[in-house]
Amino acid sequence: MMQKLKSKLSKLGIKLTDYQLDQFDRYYELLIEWNQKINLTAITEKNEVIDKHFVDSLSIVKGMDMSTVNSLIDIGTGAGFPGIPLKIVFPHLEVALLDSLNKRINFLKLVSEELKLEKVTCLHGRAEDFAKEPAHREQYDLCVSRAVANLSTLSEYCIPYIRVGGIFISYKSGEIGDELSASKLALSILKAKLLKVEEFVLPETEINRSLVIVEKVDKLPGKYPRKAPLPSKKPL
């Protein structure tokens, strides 16, 4: 099965070593094992995990040169997507994984240990809270999120973490035209601009995906992000 992963990623220009294939295989084993105890994912069949979690996470290379990134934070990482696959393939990265559920964070700590991933920080808490801390505010080259939320809300969660000139990438599926239009004011308020939207089909599937790529152009006013639940209940 992992040879399928190797083949599909080669279509994205990614070449995996045998060691990286072993890491992905062990990651899958841990995901299935822990999913019986806590809710990590509804997707458990191996081919589906390869397509909808592993390849999808790494499809970021369609819109971002990861060799230019040194640090990233994954907001609402859940079972570690896209942060863990990105760390496996690009081991130079310093990666922070943030999730509000402590059980998931415990899983991610175990994955990091089992896969011998260095420079991975697992953060338990809300995006609104960590974004106020000097250790994390405007400190990252890249913020990524596959979380299911409208772009205006996600932007308020994510943009505070990236430095000026840094990039926020939201993984999206389906028609996003209306969502993009509705996010224009939020991006302006949050001192950011839309660079591009990369639309594509995942290799050897019929799964349509989009990467919404946003650049931060100036320092963010201190009042953002607003306290919960305002970003989700009253998007900018």
Side-chain angles (χ1 to χ4, degrees), residues 15 52 57 128 158 199:
K15 295 181 179 180
K52 297 179 180 179
S57 293
E128 303 96 317
C158 294
E199 298 179 340

Coordinates of all heavy atoms in Angstrom, one line a residue, residues 15 52 57 128 158 199:
K15 N 9.7 12.7 -3.7 CA 10.4 11.4 -3.7 C 10.6 11.0 -2.3 O 11.2 11.7 -1.5 CB 11.7 11.4 -4.5 CG 11.6 11.7 -6.0 CD 12.9 11.7 -6.7 CE 12.8 12.0 -8.2 NZ 14.1 11.9 -8.8
K52 N -6.8 10.9 1.1 CA -7.5 12.0 1.7 C -6.8 12.6 2.9 O -7.2 13.7 3.4 CB -8.9 11.6 2.2 CG -9.8 11.2 1.0 CD -11.2 10.7 1.4 CE -12.0 10.3 0.2 NZ -13.4 9.8 0.6
S57 N -2.5 16.3 2.4 CA -1.7 17.1 3.2 C -0.5 17.7 2.4 O -0.1 18.8 2.6 CB -1.2 16.4 4.5 OG -2.3 16.1 5.3
E128 N -7.3 31.2 19.6 CA -7.4 32.6 20.0 C -6.5 32.9 21.2 O -6.0 34.0 21.3 CB -8.8 32.9 20.4 CG -9.9 32.6 19.4 CD -10.5 31.3 19.5 OE1 -9.8 30.3 19.8 OE2 -11.8 31.2 19.4
C158 N -5.7 32.2 12.1 CA -4.4 31.8 11.6 C -3.4 32.9 11.3 O -2.2 32.8 11.6 CB -4.6 31.0 10.3 SG -5.4 29.4 10.6
E199 N -6.1 25.5 -7.7 CA -7.2 24.4 -7.9 C -6.6 23.2 -8.6 O -5.9 23.4 -9.6 CB -8.4 25.0 -8.6 CG -9.1 26.1 -7.8 CD -10.3 26.7 -8.6 OE1 -10.4 26.4 -9.8 OE2 -11.1 27.3 -7.9

